Amino acid sequence: WKRPGRPMSASSISQCGDDEIIVRVKICGLSSLDLAIREGNYKDLIGEQPNILGFEMGGVVEKIGKNVTDLRIGEEVLGLLPINRPGACTTHTTQLSHNMVRKPTHLDLSKCVAALHAGVTAFTALYYQAHLVHGETLLIINGASPEGQICLQLGAMWGARLLTTVDTPEQAQFLSKGFKSPIDRIIDLSSEDLVQVIQQETSKLGIDHIVDLRQVGSRISTNDLLSCIGVQGTWVTTNDGVQLDPPQSRHLHLKGVRLCFLFPQSWVLSNSQQGRFLHMITSLLERIDQHQIQLEQQVFPLAQLEDALAVLKTNPTSKVMIRISD
């Protein structure tokens, strides 16, 4: 669990299933998912064997299985990888072809890969779970994270009134000065009370949709979010350990609130929603092409994977990437 993946041997590179492709990895992305796996989470999906990190990747197809008809050797591809298969922090990886898409030739591979996990997270939260529409209020918890930034960018495109929390004045400055999408209210939790601000900003009506991207040690409690959500609102959370006592459950019931669990890996761990997943990836690539979605990147060589993971723990505003080859 503590080492990058070793390069595949020549014999393993030649082995390719009928529905698989072998990709020479050029770049991969890291997210909070990689930290969770390093800490031993998701063993029910992964098992006890060590797993190679890096579940967002881009590279060049070097071999295809006999059933693969939509990809060609030599093409650049990218994809979000399921965590029950090895990741991409290695020179070559074997993956199911239906999890990979061809990169448009005029787009930069690194920019596309950087937006994969964060983009699928944001698109799932806002489009499939919150069903966000123009004019609604949207509160992003931890908006300076890569996932939070794309939530804000998509929310601005779809005409929402945007509010977000940050943990430090530096993050607030980043979003206010270095962020293109207009944000109606940035709430700095180091000096402001979330519930009071939301009551003031919404005239005590509450928020239509909350996307809860809280990290470990967050200043925000479950009761805070319950106080912020409005009638018939949606609470989308990446926290798989949400626990509600009976009064809290009744509070949500009386408000008619929907609680949705957000786990982007569900799209690739099952093939049952493959059409919707590919629609998301296509939409993300179109918005990258139109410069509507973009993330700053912090790129490390594979030999500095440990340094990259250390940076990831600090909740950076830039996307942490691993460069494997040119």
Side-chain angles (χ1 to χ4, degrees):
W1 296 92
K2 297 184 178 181
R3 297 178 182 175
R6 285 188 262 176
M8 297 174 68
S9 66
S11 61
S12 64
I13 292 176
S14 65
Q15 297 171 3
C16 182
D18 292 345
D19 299 308
E20 295 178 331
I21 61 174
I22 292 177
V23 180
R24 175 173 59 83
V25 182
K26 298 179 74 173
I27 195 161
C28 68
L30 299 178
S31 69
S32 56
L33 178 65
D34 295 277
L35 293 178
I37 290 173
R38 280 286 298 270
E39 293 168 359
N41 295 321
Y42 302 113
K43 285 188 176 181
D44 53 334
L45 298 176
I46 298 170
E48 295 296 330
Q49 294 185 357
N51 203 333
I52 300 173
L53 300 179
F55 300 98
E56 314 151 70
M57 64 147 288
V60 179
V61 178
E62 292 203 343
K63 189 176 179 66
I64 61 175
K66 67 178 184 180
N67 294 338
V68 179
T69 59
D70 55 338
L71 298 173
R72 297 289 183 269
I73 293 174
E75 289 182 327
E76 283 193 320
V77 295
L78 56 105
L80 187 69
L81 309 182
I83 59 175
N84 59 355
R85 294 178 68 94
C89 281
T90 184
T91 59
H92 292 77
T93 183
T94 302
Q95 298 293 335
L96 293 169
S97 63
H98 59 247
N99 288 330
M100 311 298 293
V101 298
R102 182 184 298 106
K103 181 192 76 68
T105 55
H106 62 287
L107 292 183
D108 178 75
L109 181 64
S110 182
K111 289 182 179 179
C112 295
V113 173
L116 277 176
H117 180 270
V120 170
T121 299
F123 205 104
T124 303
L126 302 186
Y127 185 81
Y128 284 109
Q129 295 182 319
H131 307 295
L132 180 70
V133 298
H134 182 89
E136 291 183 318
T137 51
L138 174 64
L139 172 63
I140 307 299
I141 305 299
N142 193 21
S145 66
E147 295 81 2
Q149 290 177 50
I150 296 188
C151 280
L152 291 168
Q153 292 170 11
L154 289 178
M157 287 169 45
W158 295 337
R161 181 166 183 254
L162 301 177
L163 302 92
T164 188
T165 69
V166 296
D167 293 322
T168 66
E170 290 76 20
Q171 290 179 350
Q173 184 177 24
F174 169 78
L175 290 181
S176 61
K177 294 185 178 180
F179 200 66
K180 292 184 179 180
S181 300
I183 302 173
D184 296 281
R185 184 67 161 85
I186 299 173
I187 306 165
D188 184 353
L189 297 177
S190 67
S191 58
E192 296 183 281
D193 181 87
L194 173 64
V195 176
Q196 289 182 1
V197 172
I198 296 302
Q199 288 178 343
Q200 293 170 359
E201 293 290 331
T202 64
S203 300
K204 298 185 178 181
L205 294 177
I207 294 290
D208 293 314
H209 307 290
I210 296 176
V211 179
D212 174 15
L213 304 172
R214 282 178 293 173
Q215 300 291 314
V216 175
S218 172
R219 298 181 176 93
I220 300 173
S221 68
T222 296
N223 281 330
D224 291 335
L225 297 182
L226 295 180
S227 299
C228 292
I229 193 73
V231 172
Q232 296 299 322
T234 307
W235 172 16
V236 180
T237 181
T238 57
N239 181 2
D240 63 354
V242 171
Q243 296 184 8
L244 301 175
D245 58 31
Q248 291 172 327
S249 295
R250 180 163 176 78
H251 182 89
L252 293 180
H253 169 75
L254 294 176
K255 281 189 173 182
V257 171
R258 287 180 297 147
L259 173 59
C260 301
F261 288 95
L262 178 57
F263 185 52
Q265 277 283 316
S266 62
W267 293 106
V268 289
L269 287 169
S270 168
N271 299 329
S272 63
Q273 301 290 333
Q274 193 66 19
R276 291 182 176 182
F277 173 69
L278 294 177
H279 169 252
M280 275 193 295
I281 299 298
T282 301
S283 297
L284 288 170
L285 294 176
E286 290 174 352
R287 283 158 176 76
I288 292 170
D289 187 25
Q290 297 165 4
H291 306 288
Q292 296 172 327
I293 287 178
Q294 53 188 350
L295 291 173
E296 292 183 3
Q297 300 176 45
Q298 210 167 343
V299 183
F300 296 82
L302 180 58
Q304 295 180 14
L305 176 62
E306 294 296 330
D307 295 333
L309 290 169
V311 169
L312 190 61
K313 289 182 179 180
T314 66
N315 194 19
T317 56
S318 13
K319 177 66 178 180
V320 177
M321 307 285 285
I322 302 295
R323 174 73 65 182
I324 309 295
S325 65
D326 296 323

